[in-house]
Every structure is written in structure tokens, then in C-alpha cells.
Amino acid sequence: GWLLHEHPIEEFQKLKFEVSLSTVALPASLILGSIVGGALLSMAVLQVARNAPEGTIKAAFFVNISLNVLMTILIIASGIGVASVISVLLAILSIVMYFMYKRHIPLSAAILQTVLQVLNKYPAMLNVTFGSAFLQVCYFAVFVLSSVGLYQMRKLDMMNDQAASSIGIFLAFSMLWTSQVIMNVSLTTIAGTYATFYFLSGSQGQRVRNPTWKSFTRASTWSFGSICFGSLIVAVIQLLRMLLKRDRRERDLAAAIMDCLLSIVEDLVRYFNYYAFIHVAIYGKPYMQAGKDVWALLNSNGVMSIINDNIIGTFCFMAALAVSTGSALITFMALKVLGSSTELSIACAYASLIFGAIISKLVLEIVESGATTTMVCLAEDPSALQRTKPDLYNKLSSAYSSIFYNWRYP
């Protein structure tokens, strides 16, 4: 009453409005600008890669090597012994990898150029990956709100510790599993779009309207059970790691070893699932049958698939680095021109760096998925490409005729 008497309600409303405007305007404009800028920079990088794919991949390798060498020099200069040894080994490894992969670059460049052309032809794939990210953020928000509510109920003694722990585990498992399902539906949709292009689109092939929508329909209906089952395996491993970290005591060597082993198993299952879901997208197979075919593929052409993944992965990493760094630099310079302080400019540039990395990662996930899908299709049925797109077939054949020969005549 005293506050209202001394300060009329209009003053509080005005104060609330002014605080909200000054507090929200800058972060909101920063987030929006970072998202738009990150998307534009990502498109620019992909446009350069589409026009000069081989040169872009080589540039990515050279920048990667340069960064490793620079980091090694800085660590050695700081006098950190163990880190210096590890950094030197990583720098040497990056150089060795380039010379090992050098003769494989023409084929990966041809595949990259094809993948980017398909993305330009079917931009609806961008809607899929951004929609997937939006759904994951929304579900994570639901998980956070549910967890806060659970904490408040336990704090008010509305349930005992055992019940609260059980519900918390269920919420965590639900969040992990749902996130995996959403992410893998997106992967299967994108892979199905590239498979449709590979097998049907072309001068002698069948024209398909809205392949992304048709692929999404298959992923969310016919193949949804396989996606849920494969996602369940990863979610269970993630939950075990989460419970292990929660209950682990300090200096518990056995728990640390177990967590390390589970981490390795999770990475292997994720990699295996990646190819399994691509098989599900291409052929509509059940998960178990797709797993068997993936094992056969990796045994016959696994080395080539891994090499292609590493080459395209190096390009995507360096492209994401370029986009995020570019977003940060543009934000910093724009704020300095507007007269902002150095501290505020650096903080906003760091936030822009994060948002730029997220946006570029979402875009480049399409590139990686498309490259792997094209590689799998090419390894298993090169004659389909020769039938539907003979010019592309000849281009890939000339890019790496010896490996292509092995694919045709295993």
C-alpha cells in the first residue's frame, strides 16, 4: 500500500516496459541477426563449394593443418609438456591424413558437388532439419519445466525420494529417446530424398514431385518403428551413462572405466545406426535387416565409406568454423561501429559465434547425410545411376575409375 501510495501504478507499468525493452531488445535482435547471418553465410560457403568443390575441400584440409600447427606452436611455447606431445601428434596426423586421402578427393568433390546441387533443387530439406531442431528445443523446454515441477513437489514433501528419483529417470529417458527419434526421422527423410534423386530423377528416369514430403511420410509412418527401435538402443546407453555419472563417487576408477567403455559403445552404435537408417530410407527395410546389410556393406566397401565420411566431414567442420567465425566478426564490427563498448561487443560476438555454429551445423548435416547416402547408393547399385543420369555416372567414374570398377564388379 505504501509503495502504491508513493509510486502510482502507472510508474510501475512504465518502469516494467522500459526495463523489458532495454533488456530484451538487444538479445532478441542479436539472436535474430545471428540466425539470419549464419544462414546467409552458410549458403555462401555452400555456393562456393558447389562452384569449386575440389578446391574447397583442399582448402579445408590446408586450413585444418594450419590451425593444428599453430595450436602446437602455442602449446609448446606455453611449456605444457603432455599437451605439447599430444598436439604435435595431432598436427602430424592431420598432415598424414591429407596425403593419405589426397587421391580420394576428386571422387568426394564430385559427390559434394552433386549433393549441393540436389539441395539447391529440393530446398525443402532445410525445412526438415530446422523443424527437427525446433521440435527438439520445444521438447527440451517441456523436460526442463517438468523437472522443475518435480523438484518443487519433492521440496514440498509431496512425494518421497524413491518416487521422485523414478519419475526423474523416466523424464530423462523420455527426453533422450524422443530427441533421438526426432533427429533420426530428419536423417531418414533427408536420406530418402537423396535416394529418390539417385534412383529416379534424370533424363531417363521418373520425375517425382515433392520427394522430401514423400520421404518424410515414409519415415514417420512405414519406417517409424525401425527408427524408434534404433533410437531406443542409443537412448538406453545414454541413460546408463547419465545414471553412472550421477552415482559415481570421486576417484572411482571402475566407474570411470565403465563410462569410457559406454562412451565408445555409444559412438559405435551411433555410427552403425547412421548407415542403418540410410538403408531404411533407401529401401524401406526393417531395422534388423538394414543392420545386416550395413555390416555387409562395411565389410566390402567400409574403408572407402569411412574415407569419404572423413573428407566430407573435414569440409563441413571447416565450413562451420568459417561461418561461426564470420558471424562473430560481423557482429563485433557492427557493434563497434554503433558505438558499443568493447566488453559488450566481445560478449555479443561470442554469442553470435555460438548461434552461427548451430545454424551452420544444421545446414551442413544435410550435406553429410546426402554425401553418405549417395556413397551407399553408388556402392550398392551404380547401374541405377548410369541408367538415370549417365553424365553424372561418367563424371564419377572418371573421378575415381579404379574404385568405381571395384564397385561395379565386386
Side-chain angles (χ1 to χ4, degrees):
W2 175 80
L3 286 174
L4 291 177
H5 176 73
E6 296 292 331
H7 305 279
I9 189 67
E10 291 80 6
E11 293 187 15
F12 284 99
Q13 292 175 344
K14 182 180 179 181
L15 177 61
K16 181 179 179 180
F17 174 77
E18 290 175 351
V19 171
S20 299
L21 184 62
S22 61
T23 305
V24 174
L26 180 59
S29 59
L30 173 64
I31 293 172
L32 181 60
S34 299
I35 292 174
V36 174
L40 292 177
L41 285 174
S42 298
M43 293 299 111
V45 169
L46 295 183
Q47 183 65 35
V48 172
R50 188 172 63 179
N51 294 332
E54 187 169 346
T56 305
I57 290 177
K58 288 182 178 179
F61 270 103
F62 289 144
V63 173
N64 185 40
I65 292 172
S66 300
L67 289 177
N68 279 316
V69 172
L70 178 62
M71 185 64 66
T72 300
I73 294 173
L74 293 176
I75 293 177
I76 292 176
S78 64
I80 305 176
V82 177
S84 299
V85 174
I86 296 175
S87 183
V88 168
L89 292 177
L90 290 176
I92 294 174
L93 179 62
S94 65
I95 296 172
V96 172
M97 284 179 59
Y98 170 73
F99 286 103
M100 286 179 59
Y101 293 167
K102 187 177 180 180
R103 69 188 187 95
H104 297 267
I105 289 178
L107 178 60
S108 294
I111 291 176
L112 175 62
Q113 187 175 42
T114 301
V115 165
L116 295 177
Q117 290 172 348
V118 176
L119 176 58
N120 187 61
K121 186 176 183 179
Y122 303 122
M125 288 187 286
L126 291 170
N127 298 335
V128 174
T129 189
F130 281 104
S132 170
F134 177 74
L135 286 178
Q136 290 186 69
V137 170
C138 291
Y139 196 84
F140 181 74
V142 172
F143 166 74
V144 171
L145 292 175
S146 301
S147 300
V148 171
L150 178 64
Y151 172 78
Q152 292 295 333
M153 292 178 68
R154 178 66 194 94
K155 189 176 180 180
L156 297 173
D157 291 328
M158 298 176 65
M159 64 177 64
N160 56 36
D161 289 340
Q162 185 176 1
S165 178
S166 300
I167 296 175
I169 292 173
F170 172 77
L171 288 175
F173 175 70
S174 175
M175 187 268 293
L176 293 171
W177 192 12
T178 303
S179 297
Q180 284 293 318
V181 170
I182 294 173
M183 183 172 55
N184 290 324
V185 166
S186 175
L187 167 63
T188 308
T189 300
I190 293 169
T193 304
Y194 277 99
T196 300
F197 170 82
Y198 182 93
F199 286 104
L200 299 178
S201 178
S203 58
Q204 302 179 18
Q206 177 183 351
R207 292 182 60 86
V208 180
R209 297 185 60 186
N210 301 323
T212 305
W213 172 252
K214 294 181 186 299
S215 180
F216 173 75
T217 303
R218 291 193 301 270
S220 55
T221 54
W222 181 262
S223 301
F224 193 67
S226 297
I227 293 173
C228 290
F229 181 70
S231 302
L232 175 64
I233 300 173
V234 176
V236 169
I237 298 174
Q238 290 177 330
L239 181 65
L240 291 175
R241 292 189 64 196
M242 183 180 295
L243 295 176
L244 189 64
K245 290 179 180 178
R246 185 194 68 175
D247 299 332
R248 188 174 67 187
R249 296 184 298 272
E250 292 185 6
R251 298 183 180 180
D252 190 342
L253 180 59
I257 294 175
M258 182 61 67
D259 182 46
C260 181
L261 292 176
L262 285 175
S263 175
I264 295 173
V265 171
E266 180 184 347
D267 290 340
L268 291 174
V269 172
R270 279 176 176 271
Y271 191 79
F272 187 82
N273 271 358
Y274 187 68
Y275 279 91
F277 289 134
I278 287 175
H279 267 80
V280 169
I282 296 172
Y283 303 108
K285 300 175 182 177
Y287 177 81
M288 297 302 293
Q289 182 60 46
K292 294 178 182 178
D293 293 341
V294 168
W295 184 253
L297 172 68
L298 293 178
N299 284 332
S300 59
N301 292 290
V303 174
M304 189 59 211
S305 298
I306 292 172
I307 288 175
N308 183 71
D309 284 346
N310 286 336
I311 293 175
I312 300 297
T314 300
F315 158 75
C316 290
F317 173 77
M318 298 312 303
L321 181 62
V323 170
S324 57
T325 304
S327 292
L329 289 175
I330 292 173
T331 300
F332 180 81
M333 290 187 293
L335 290 175
K336 291 298 292 182
V337 169
L338 293 174
S340 299
S341 65
T342 303
E343 293 78 8
L344 178 62
S345 300
I346 293 176
C348 292
Y350 182 74
S352 184
L353 178 78
I354 296 174
F355 283 111
I358 293 173
I359 296 301
S360 62
K361 183 179 184 298
L362 292 174
V363 175
L364 293 168
E365 279 180 354
I366 301 176
V367 177
E368 292 189 85
S369 302
T372 305
T373 303
T374 304
M375 196 74 181
V376 170
C377 294
L378 195 57
E380 297 192 338
D381 193 358
S383 60
L385 186 64
Q386 186 180 30
R387 183 178 65 254
T388 59
K389 288 168 282 295
D391 292 339
L392 180 58
Y393 175 89
N394 293 332
K395 179 181 179 181
L396 294 177
S397 178
S398 61
Y400 216 151
S401 58
S402 60
I403 294 179
F404 205 83
Y405 180 86
N406 290 335
W407 283 341
R408 291 182 60 191
Y409 305 99

